[in-house]
Amino acid sequence: MTAGYEATPGLVETRVAHGETTLVVDPARLVEACMHLRDAEGFNQLMDVVAADYLGWGERGVAGYIGTRGGRDIFGPGSQGFRRVPDPKPARFAVDYQLLRVGDDPARVRVQVWLDDGQELETVIGVWPSADWVEREAFDMMGITFHGHPNLVRILMPEDWEGHPLRKDYPIGGEPVRFSGEE
Amino acid sequence: MSVLPATSIYEGTRIPSPCPTILEIDPSRHDLDDILTVNFGPNHPSTHGVLRLIVDLDGEQVAGIRAVIGYLHTGFEKTMEHKTYWKGITYPERIDYLSFQANELVFVLAIEKLLDLEVPPRAQWMRMCLSELNRIHSHLVWLGTSALEIGAISMFWYAFRERDMILDLFEMVTGVRMHSRYFQVGGLAEDIPRGFYEQARAAVKRMPKAVDEYEALLDRNQIWLERTKGIGPLSAADALALGQSGPMLRASGVDWDLRRNTPYLFYDEVDFEVPVYGNGDVYDRYKVHMDEMRQSARIVAQCLDRLEELQGAPWIADDRKVVLPPREELHTSMESLIHHFKIVTEGYLVPEGEVYVAIESARGECGCTLVSDGGPKPWRVKFRAPSLAALQATATCVRDCLIADLVAVAASLDPVMGDVDR
């Protein structure tokens, strides 16, 4: 099934694991790649946009959750730790686009782009309108900016919220709690 | 069926532009007196939770709409990153609280995919059986509340009568009526109790008759027909472009069901039909839901046949590194006690990798993206919420409809706000 995806513009790498195909694409050519996958490969649905933060990935001691008491120390006393240290990631953030081909020949493919903090992505709303809310969610939760999105505002958190909750440096229970008695 | 195109740039689309989820009123009409902006929700009884719609009305006609969500955001995904896989199973079922077994199943399947774990057939059949019962349960709640909202109050009591019958089955198997945490990585949490088959068969026998009764109440009811037929239409191309799935897609004429098109569990071994209707209006969504309840009852009956054949077979995988040891062994075996302690306190390690698993929940494609770094807690969990996708179609569906129909349309999208906001 991997044959055919080589023509994807900006393709960096093709990975097949657990029966799933991942196409790592150059972020600058994302929209071009998506257009190609939609029109030439028939991926007519974008099911999900998943942003993931890999800050602290594979580090000894605290793997993620900087600033959280206790952290996520999987080398803590009595623990098994990693069997092996996971492979390093090319950048801090990954954004996955889960594509689905609805039709006689169903197929799924994951388009993956890697970004550093502050780097922008182009929106794919023009390719699949369903990208609207999921891109807003990625912005709200991870702080990924989608250039060209007509309404890129917070979707799940309140408008005046600070920080992006699903980032690894955003601690759990660390948000300020305001009490009305303080005023 | 050939591959249908999906693009925002095609003839005849009703999807608003530039923002597909916001219907803007004509700017020249902004300051006119006859445009009334109404805030609908978030605590309106007909919004199925806490959905807020800001509606611009021109008389009784909806001229503009935007949805505001997030009132039920609970941070499930963040919380799950801090829990071991074993403890995390309780969270997904609280996301879509009506289709709880489906969410539980998709998370468990994702872990099993990373672990490459073989699940015994009996557990898989039971998972199918409960998933389908759960689909009936979810559709019944949908039917009862949606009909209630357009004035068919008696529907609610009839639908909830059968819903209770199904919840009794869940209680019998899992000990609780909802959020059962019955699916376990490797199989089931406990064996199927005695008497379940008889009671489940009675429910399966009752269900098609019950659905006939509901249809007898609604299908010749002139008010119901006028409130649903031709209301909130969504074309097949628009439905695909807006990422719709499940009943939404099938009501719009797209013959697509993950259970048949990309089978998981043993769905390729059971007979069932996928209902497809073509108008994409509220009425067709109602018809899809009704037919699906009948088909689910059919699937449950076939699952029960297979389960009875497999009586006595194992219901959980024999992998002591992942699966809790049998309760009785804890009193006699030191190793079992250690395994039990380790799994519950520290969790098991799941190999590094990234998977996406999708199943057909009651509202469509329920997906789970799971990233593991090789540790005992997920690095990243993300749920693909079918309700979120369905709500994105609001602006397209309510274009030019009346304010009274807005309620019917919003209900027909079948959003569960827990699923939308996560």
Side-chain angles (χ1 to χ4, degrees), chain B residues 199-239:
Chain B
Q199 205 168 324
R201 274 194 199 285
V204 165
K205 210 174 151 204
R206 168 83 192 117
M207 237 15 253
K209 281 187 211 153
V211 178
D212 290 345
E213 286 173 22
Y214 308 148
E215 285 192 336
L217 265 171
L218 294 175
D219 263 351
R220 273 178 291 173
N221 181 332
Q222 199 57 35
I223 301 173
W224 172 262
L225 295 178
E226 287 189 19
R227 296 286 323 257
T228 55
K229 278 207 170 172
I231 305 296
L234 187 66
S235 72
D238 285 355

mmCIF file of all heavy atoms in Angstrom, chain B residues 199-239:
data_model
loop_
_atom_site.group_PDB
_atom_site.id
_atom_site.type_symbol
_atom_site.label_atom_id
_atom_site.label_comp_id
_atom_site.label_asym_id
_atom_site.label_seq_id
_atom_site.Cartn_x
_atom_site.Cartn_y
_atom_site.Cartn_z
ATOM 1 N N GLN B 199 -31.435 -13.104 29.750
ATOM 2 C CA GLN B 199 -31.954 -11.747 29.871
ATOM 3 C C GLN B 199 -31.643 -10.921 28.617
ATOM 4 O O GLN B 199 -32.461 -10.125 28.164
ATOM 5 C CB GLN B 199 -31.365 -11.081 31.115
ATOM 6 C CG GLN B 199 -32.252 -9.975 31.632
ATOM 7 C CD GLN B 199 -31.849 -9.510 33.010
ATOM 8 O OE1 GLN B 199 -31.424 -10.311 33.850
ATOM 9 N NE2 GLN B 199 -31.961 -8.214 33.249
ATOM 10 N N ALA B 200 -30.434 -11.141 28.067
ATOM 11 C CA ALA B 200 -30.056 -10.405 26.858
ATOM 12 C C ALA B 200 -30.924 -10.828 25.686
ATOM 13 O O ALA B 200 -31.330 -10.007 24.867
ATOM 14 C CB ALA B 200 -28.585 -10.635 26.545
ATOM 15 N N ARG B 201 -31.221 -12.129 25.611
ATOM 16 C CA ARG B 201 -32.081 -12.604 24.518
ATOM 17 C C ARG B 201 -33.473 -12.000 24.605
ATOM 18 O O ARG B 201 -34.066 -11.633 23.582
ATOM 19 C CB ARG B 201 -32.177 -14.135 24.546
ATOM 20 C CG ARG B 201 -31.038 -14.765 23.805
ATOM 21 C CD ARG B 201 -31.270 -16.224 23.511
ATOM 22 N NE ARG B 201 -29.997 -16.847 23.219
ATOM 23 C CZ ARG B 201 -29.342 -16.688 22.087
ATOM 24 N NH1 ARG B 201 -29.846 -15.931 21.132
ATOM 25 N NH2 ARG B 201 -28.173 -17.269 21.900
ATOM 26 N N ALA B 202 -33.965 -11.880 25.816
ATOM 27 C CA ALA B 202 -35.279 -11.267 25.988
ATOM 28 C C ALA B 202 -35.249 -9.821 25.505
ATOM 29 O O ALA B 202 -36.171 -9.351 24.824
ATOM 30 C CB ALA B 202 -35.698 -11.340 27.451
ATOM 31 N N ALA B 203 -34.158 -9.129 25.815
ATOM 32 C CA ALA B 203 -34.024 -7.732 25.390
ATOM 33 C C ALA B 203 -33.951 -7.647 23.868
ATOM 34 O O ALA B 203 -34.563 -6.779 23.246
ATOM 35 C CB ALA B 203 -32.785 -7.118 26.021
ATOM 36 N N VAL B 204 -33.181 -8.563 23.270
ATOM 37 C CA VAL B 204 -33.022 -8.558 21.812
ATOM 38 C C VAL B 204 -34.353 -8.830 21.131
ATOM 39 O O VAL B 204 -34.679 -8.248 20.095
ATOM 40 C CB VAL B 204 -31.969 -9.616 21.419
ATOM 41 C CG1 VAL B 204 -32.028 -9.896 19.936
ATOM 42 C CG2 VAL B 204 -30.592 -9.158 21.816
ATOM 43 N N LYS B 205 -35.141 -9.723 21.740
ATOM 44 C CA LYS B 205 -36.441 -10.052 21.179
ATOM 45 C C LYS B 205 -37.386 -8.849 21.288
ATOM 46 O O LYS B 205 -38.187 -8.585 20.401
ATOM 47 C CB LYS B 205 -37.022 -11.246 21.949
ATOM 48 C CG LYS B 205 -37.918 -12.108 21.106
ATOM 49 C CD LYS B 205 -38.329 -13.347 21.886
ATOM 50 C CE LYS B 205 -39.694 -13.823 21.408
ATOM 51 N NZ LYS B 205 -40.397 -14.610 22.417
ATOM 52 N N ARG B 206 -37.264 -8.139 22.378
ATOM 53 C CA ARG B 206 -38.146 -6.997 22.642
ATOM 54 C C ARG B 206 -37.833 -5.815 21.716
ATOM 55 O O ARG B 206 -38.722 -5.088 21.293
ATOM 56 C CB ARG B 206 -37.969 -6.601 24.112
ATOM 57 C CG ARG B 206 -38.566 -5.286 24.506
ATOM 58 C CD ARG B 206 -40.056 -5.400 24.813
ATOM 59 N NE ARG B 206 -40.629 -4.069 24.903
ATOM 60 C CZ ARG B 206 -41.564 -3.588 24.097
ATOM 61 N NH1 ARG B 206 -42.083 -4.326 23.160
ATOM 62 N NH2 ARG B 206 -42.010 -2.360 24.228
ATOM 63 N N MET B 207 -36.539 -5.645 21.411
ATOM 64 C CA MET B 207 -36.098 -4.412 20.755
ATOM 65 C C MET B 207 -36.781 -4.112 19.413
ATOM 66 O O MET B 207 -37.315 -3.017 19.238
ATOM 67 C CB MET B 207 -34.570 -4.455 20.587
ATOM 68 C CG MET B 207 -33.783 -3.321 21.192
ATOM 69 S SD MET B 207 -34.598 -2.278 22.352
ATOM 70 C CE MET B 207 -34.810 -0.832 21.363
ATOM 71 N N PRO B 208 -36.781 -5.070 18.441
ATOM 72 C CA PRO B 208 -37.421 -4.728 17.155
ATOM 73 C C PRO B 208 -38.883 -4.332 17.327
ATOM 74 O O PRO B 208 -39.362 -3.405 16.661
ATOM 75 C CB PRO B 208 -37.307 -6.028 16.346
ATOM 76 C CG PRO B 208 -36.221 -6.792 16.995
ATOM 77 C CD PRO B 208 -36.242 -6.432 18.437
ATOM 78 N N LYS B 209 -39.574 -5.010 18.260
ATOM 79 C CA LYS B 209 -40.977 -4.659 18.511
ATOM 80 C C LYS B 209 -41.068 -3.245 19.067
ATOM 81 O O LYS B 209 -41.938 -2.460 18.683
ATOM 82 C CB LYS B 209 -41.591 -5.636 19.514
ATOM 83 C CG LYS B 209 -41.991 -6.949 18.895
ATOM 84 C CD LYS B 209 -42.741 -7.795 19.933
ATOM 85 C CE LYS B 209 -42.489 -9.269 19.672
ATOM 86 N NZ LYS B 209 -42.620 -10.063 20.896
ATOM 87 N N ALA B 210 -40.167 -2.947 19.981
ATOM 88 C CA ALA B 210 -40.174 -1.606 20.585
ATOM 89 C C ALA B 210 -39.941 -0.545 19.514
ATOM 90 O O ALA B 210 -40.613 0.485 19.489
ATOM 91 C CB ALA B 210 -39.107 -1.526 21.663
ATOM 92 N N VAL B 211 -38.991 -0.825 18.600
ATOM 93 C CA VAL B 211 -38.709 0.153 17.542
ATOM 94 C C VAL B 211 -39.940 0.332 16.657
ATOM 95 O O VAL B 211 -40.277 1.452 16.259
ATOM 96 C CB VAL B 211 -37.476 -0.282 16.714
ATOM 97 C CG1 VAL B 211 -37.218 0.702 15.592
ATOM 98 C CG2 VAL B 211 -36.246 -0.390 17.600
ATOM 99 N N ASP B 212 -40.655 -0.788 16.380
ATOM 100 C CA ASP B 212 -41.901 -0.666 15.614
ATOM 101 C C ASP B 212 -42.888 0.245 16.335
ATOM 102 O O ASP B 212 -43.574 1.061 15.705
ATOM 103 C CB ASP B 212 -42.538 -2.056 15.423
ATOM 104 C CG ASP B 212 -41.731 -2.913 14.466
ATOM 105 O OD1 ASP B 212 -40.877 -2.335 13.753
ATOM 106 O OD2 ASP B 212 -41.918 -4.136 14.436
ATOM 107 N N GLU B 213 -42.943 0.082 17.652
ATOM 108 C CA GLU B 213 -43.869 0.920 18.430
ATOM 109 C C GLU B 213 -43.496 2.396 18.337
ATOM 110 O O GLU B 213 -44.358 3.258 18.165
ATOM 111 C CB GLU B 213 -43.860 0.493 19.905
ATOM 112 C CG GLU B 213 -44.596 -0.808 20.171
ATOM 113 C CD GLU B 213 -44.410 -1.281 21.608
ATOM 114 O OE1 GLU B 213 -44.095 -0.452 22.492
ATOM 115 O OE2 GLU B 213 -44.552 -2.486 21.839
ATOM 116 N N TYR B 214 -42.203 2.674 18.440
ATOM 117 C CA TYR B 214 -41.774 4.084 18.342
ATOM 118 C C TYR B 214 -42.173 4.651 16.991
ATOM 119 O O TYR B 214 -42.668 5.764 16.886
ATOM 120 C CB TYR B 214 -40.255 4.242 18.479
ATOM 121 C CG TYR B 214 -39.624 3.600 19.676
ATOM 122 C CD1 TYR B 214 -38.326 3.101 19.604
ATOM 123 C CD2 TYR B 214 -40.292 3.502 20.883
ATOM 124 C CE1 TYR B 214 -37.735 2.506 20.688
ATOM 125 C CE2 TYR B 214 -39.707 2.907 21.971
ATOM 126 C CZ TYR B 214 -38.429 2.405 21.860
ATOM 127 O OH TYR B 214 -37.836 1.816 22.922
ATOM 128 N N GLU B 215 -41.930 3.838 15.954
ATOM 129 C CA GLU B 215 -42.246 4.327 14.607
ATOM 130 C C GLU B 215 -43.744 4.507 14.431
ATOM 131 O O GLU B 215 -44.182 5.428 13.750
ATOM 132 C CB GLU B 215 -41.683 3.365 13.554
ATOM 133 C CG GLU B 215 -40.181 3.508 13.430
ATOM 134 C CD GLU B 215 -39.608 2.797 12.226
ATOM 135 O OE1 GLU B 215 -40.231 1.837 11.736
ATOM 136 O OE2 GLU B 215 -38.527 3.209 11.777
ATOM 137 N N ALA B 216 -44.518 3.625 15.075
ATOM 138 C CA ALA B 216 -45.977 3.776 14.992
ATOM 139 C C ALA B 216 -46.401 5.095 15.621
ATOM 140 O O ALA B 216 -47.341 5.741 15.163
ATOM 141 C CB ALA B 216 -46.648 2.605 15.698
ATOM 142 N N LEU B 217 -45.667 5.497 16.675
ATOM 143 C CA LEU B 217 -46.003 6.760 17.326
ATOM 144 C C LEU B 217 -45.607 7.962 16.481
ATOM 145 O O LEU B 217 -46.275 8.987 16.497
ATOM 146 C CB LEU B 217 -45.258 6.856 18.667
ATOM 147 C CG LEU B 217 -46.000 6.412 19.915
ATOM 148 C CD1 LEU B 217 -45.039 6.384 21.079
ATOM 149 C CD2 LEU B 217 -47.147 7.353 20.212
ATOM 150 N N LEU B 218 -44.486 7.839 15.776
ATOM 151 C CA LEU B 218 -43.940 9.025 15.117
ATOM 152 C C LEU B 218 -44.220 9.092 13.623
ATOM 153 O O LEU B 218 -44.461 10.166 13.085
ATOM 154 C CB LEU B 218 -42.425 9.095 15.345
ATOM 155 C CG LEU B 218 -41.985 9.314 16.794
ATOM 156 C CD1 LEU B 218 -40.481 9.233 16.897
ATOM 157 C CD2 LEU B 218 -42.471 10.652 17.304
ATOM 158 N N ASP B 219 -44.156 7.952 12.958
ATOM 159 C CA ASP B 219 -44.143 7.994 11.500
ATOM 160 C C ASP B 219 -45.448 8.471 10.869
ATOM 161 O O ASP B 219 -45.458 8.886 9.720
ATOM 162 C CB ASP B 219 -43.772 6.619 10.927
ATOM 163 C CG ASP B 219 -42.300 6.573 10.583
ATOM 164 O OD1 ASP B 219 -41.665 7.637 10.628
ATOM 165 O OD2 ASP B 219 -41.784 5.491 10.279
ATOM 166 N N ARG B 220 -46.546 8.370 11.588
ATOM 167 C CA ARG B 220 -47.792 8.876 11.019
ATOM 168 C C ARG B 220 -48.286 10.108 11.789
ATOM 169 O O ARG B 220 -49.434 10.481 11.691
ATOM 170 C CB ARG B 220 -48.844 7.774 11.003
ATOM 171 C CG ARG B 220 -48.720 6.940 9.724
ATOM 172 C CD ARG B 220 -49.704 5.815 9.712
ATOM 173 N NE ARG B 220 -49.366 4.815 10.712
ATOM 174 C CZ ARG B 220 -50.136 3.786 11.016
ATOM 175 N NH1 ARG B 220 -51.285 3.629 10.424
ATOM 176 N NH2 ARG B 220 -49.758 2.912 11.916
ATOM 177 N N ASN B 221 -47.383 10.651 12.558
ATOM 178 C CA ASN B 221 -47.706 11.849 13.322
ATOM 179 C C ASN B 221 -47.400 13.068 12.455
ATOM 180 O O ASN B 221 -46.230 13.349 12.161
ATOM 181 C CB ASN B 221 -46.854 11.837 14.599
ATOM 182 C CG ASN B 221 -47.121 13.018 15.490
ATOM 183 O OD1 ASN B 221 -47.512 14.078 15.026
ATOM 184 N ND2 ASN B 221 -46.902 12.825 16.769
ATOM 185 N N GLN B 222 -48.446 13.761 12.056
ATOM 186 C CA GLN B 222 -48.270 14.856 11.112
ATOM 187 C C GLN B 222 -47.321 15.931 11.646
ATOM 188 O O GLN B 222 -46.498 16.475 10.903
ATOM 189 C CB GLN B 222 -49.643 15.469 10.785
ATOM 190 C CG GLN B 222 -49.667 16.286 9.506
ATOM 191 C CD GLN B 222 -49.227 15.487 8.288
ATOM 192 O OE1 GLN B 222 -49.492 14.296 8.182
ATOM 193 N NE2 GLN B 222 -48.519 16.137 7.382
ATOM 194 N N ILE B 223 -47.424 16.204 12.944
ATOM 195 C CA ILE B 223 -46.559 17.245 13.515
ATOM 196 C C ILE B 223 -45.098 16.811 13.418
ATOM 197 O O ILE B 223 -44.225 17.560 12.992
ATOM 198 C CB ILE B 223 -46.939 17.521 14.983
ATOM 199 C CG1 ILE B 223 -48.389 17.974 15.052
ATOM 200 C CG2 ILE B 223 -46.015 18.559 15.590
ATOM 201 C CD1 ILE B 223 -48.922 18.101 16.463
ATOM 202 N N TRP B 224 -44.853 15.561 13.789
ATOM 203 C CA TRP B 224 -43.474 15.041 13.722
ATOM 204 C C TRP B 224 -42.932 15.133 12.303
ATOM 205 O O TRP B 224 -41.807 15.587 12.082
ATOM 206 C CB TRP B 224 -43.456 13.594 14.236
ATOM 207 C CG TRP B 224 -42.148 12.899 14.035
ATOM 208 C CD1 TRP B 224 -41.821 12.052 13.031
ATOM 209 C CD2 TRP B 224 -40.979 13.026 14.862
ATOM 210 N NE1 TRP B 224 -40.527 11.628 13.173
ATOM 211 C CE2 TRP B 224 -39.985 12.207 14.287
ATOM 212 C CE3 TRP B 224 -40.674 13.744 16.021
ATOM 213 C CZ2 TRP B 224 -38.712 12.083 14.843
ATOM 214 C CZ3 TRP B 224 -39.403 13.624 16.571
ATOM 215 C CH2 TRP B 224 -38.438 12.798 15.981
ATOM 216 N N LEU B 225 -43.740 14.697 11.338
ATOM 217 C CA LEU B 225 -43.276 14.699 9.953
ATOM 218 C C LEU B 225 -42.967 16.116 9.482
ATOM 219 O O LEU B 225 -41.943 16.362 8.845
ATOM 220 C CB LEU B 225 -44.327 14.056 9.041
ATOM 221 C CG LEU B 225 -44.583 12.575 9.294
ATOM 222 C CD1 LEU B 225 -45.669 12.059 8.364
ATOM 223 C CD2 LEU B 225 -43.319 11.752 9.108
ATOM 224 N N GLU B 226 -43.843 17.056 9.837
ATOM 225 C CA GLU B 226 -43.609 18.419 9.363
ATOM 226 C C GLU B 226 -42.436 19.080 10.061
ATOM 227 O O GLU B 226 -41.791 19.966 9.507
ATOM 228 C CB GLU B 226 -44.884 19.247 9.518
ATOM 229 C CG GLU B 226 -45.920 18.841 8.485
ATOM 230 C CD GLU B 226 -47.110 19.760 8.461
ATOM 231 O OE1 GLU B 226 -46.993 20.890 8.957
ATOM 232 O OE2 GLU B 226 -48.157 19.337 7.963
ATOM 233 N N ARG B 227 -42.163 18.640 11.292
ATOM 234 C CA ARG B 227 -41.030 19.218 12.005
ATOM 235 C C ARG B 227 -39.693 18.611 11.571
ATOM 236 O O ARG B 227 -38.641 19.122 11.924
ATOM 237 C CB ARG B 227 -41.171 19.012 13.525
ATOM 238 C CG ARG B 227 -42.328 19.699 14.180
ATOM 239 C CD ARG B 227 -42.211 21.191 14.351
ATOM 240 N NE ARG B 227 -40.917 21.739 14.669
ATOM 241 C CZ ARG B 227 -40.564 22.141 15.886
ATOM 242 N NH1 ARG B 227 -41.369 22.037 16.887
ATOM 243 N NH2 ARG B 227 -39.385 22.688 16.087
ATOM 244 N N THR B 228 -39.728 17.464 10.891
ATOM 245 C CA THR B 228 -38.467 16.784 10.577
ATOM 246 C C THR B 228 -38.182 16.697 9.074
ATOM 247 O O THR B 228 -37.025 16.783 8.675
ATOM 248 C CB THR B 228 -38.455 15.355 11.143
ATOM 249 O OG1 THR B 228 -39.586 14.653 10.656
ATOM 250 C CG2 THR B 228 -38.476 15.359 12.659
ATOM 251 N N LYS B 229 -39.199 16.520 8.251
ATOM 252 C CA LYS B 229 -38.930 16.285 6.820
ATOM 253 C C LYS B 229 -38.436 17.553 6.134
ATOM 254 O O LYS B 229 -39.055 18.612 6.251
ATOM 255 C CB LYS B 229 -40.195 15.765 6.137
ATOM 256 C CG LYS B 229 -40.365 14.270 6.348
ATOM 257 C CD LYS B 229 -41.162 13.621 5.234
ATOM 258 C CE LYS B 229 -41.062 12.109 5.392
ATOM 259 N NZ LYS B 229 -41.944 11.392 4.498
ATOM 260 N N GLY B 230 -37.322 17.406 5.432
ATOM 261 C CA GLY B 230 -36.760 18.532 4.688
ATOM 262 C C GLY B 230 -36.076 19.576 5.551
ATOM 263 O O GLY B 230 -35.665 20.623 5.052
ATOM 264 N N ILE B 231 -35.955 19.309 6.849
ATOM 265 C CA ILE B 231 -35.349 20.274 7.762
ATOM 266 C C ILE B 231 -33.852 19.975 7.919
ATOM 267 O O ILE B 231 -33.464 18.822 8.085
ATOM 268 C CB ILE B 231 -36.032 20.204 9.147
ATOM 269 C CG1 ILE B 231 -37.540 20.388 9.035
ATOM 270 C CG2 ILE B 231 -35.418 21.207 10.113
ATOM 271 C CD1 ILE B 231 -37.978 21.725 8.516
ATOM 272 N N GLY B 232 -33.056 21.013 7.872
ATOM 273 C CA GLY B 232 -31.626 20.871 8.122
ATOM 274 C C GLY B 232 -30.900 19.953 7.171
ATOM 275 O O GLY B 232 -30.161 19.074 7.606
ATOM 276 N N PRO B 233 -31.086 20.141 5.860
ATOM 277 C CA PRO B 233 -30.468 19.201 4.920
ATOM 278 C C PRO B 233 -28.946 19.337 4.839
ATOM 279 O O PRO B 233 -28.395 20.419 5.011
ATOM 280 C CB PRO B 233 -31.114 19.576 3.584
ATOM 281 C CG PRO B 233 -31.470 21.012 3.720
ATOM 282 C CD PRO B 233 -31.829 21.216 5.153
ATOM 283 N N LEU B 234 -28.318 18.202 4.598
ATOM 284 C CA LEU B 234 -26.870 18.155 4.435
ATOM 285 C C LEU B 234 -26.597 17.217 3.263
ATOM 286 O O LEU B 234 -26.983 16.046 3.311
ATOM 287 C CB LEU B 234 -26.224 17.627 5.731
ATOM 288 C CG LEU B 234 -24.709 17.662 5.835
ATOM 289 C CD1 LEU B 234 -24.210 19.099 5.857
ATOM 290 C CD2 LEU B 234 -24.234 16.946 7.083
ATOM 291 N N SER B 235 -25.951 17.737 2.224
ATOM 292 C CA SER B 235 -25.701 16.885 1.052
ATOM 293 C C SER B 235 -24.540 15.946 1.310
ATOM 294 O O SER B 235 -23.755 16.143 2.243
ATOM 295 C CB SER B 235 -25.397 17.764 -0.161
ATOM 296 O OG SER B 235 -24.121 18.344 -0.011
ATOM 297 N N ALA B 236 -24.424 14.921 0.492
ATOM 298 C CA ALA B 236 -23.363 13.928 0.677
ATOM 299 C C ALA B 236 -21.982 14.578 0.583
ATOM 300 O O ALA B 236 -21.099 14.310 1.404
ATOM 301 C CB ALA B 236 -23.502 12.821 -0.364
ATOM 302 N N ALA B 237 -21.810 15.449 -0.404
ATOM 303 C CA ALA B 237 -20.497 16.080 -0.587
ATOM 304 C C ALA B 237 -20.159 16.980 0.600
ATOM 305 O O ALA B 237 -19.024 16.984 1.100
ATOM 306 C CB ALA B 237 -20.490 16.883 -1.884
ATOM 307 N N ASP B 238 -21.173 17.732 1.083
ATOM 308 C CA ASP B 238 -20.937 18.593 2.237
ATOM 309 C C ASP B 238 -20.627 17.768 3.479
ATOM 310 O O ASP B 238 -19.766 18.125 4.287
ATOM 311 C CB ASP B 238 -22.170 19.472 2.512
ATOM 312 C CG ASP B 238 -22.307 20.606 1.514
ATOM 313 O OD1 ASP B 238 -21.402 20.749 0.677
ATOM 314 O OD2 ASP B 238 -23.313 21.335 1.582
ATOM 315 N N ALA B 239 -21.351 16.655 3.637
ATOM 316 C CA ALA B 239 -21.136 15.806 4.807
ATOM 317 C C ALA B 239 -19.706 15.265 4.816
ATOM 318 O O ALA B 239 -19.034 15.247 5.855
ATOM 319 C CB ALA B 239 -22.138 14.665 4.812
#
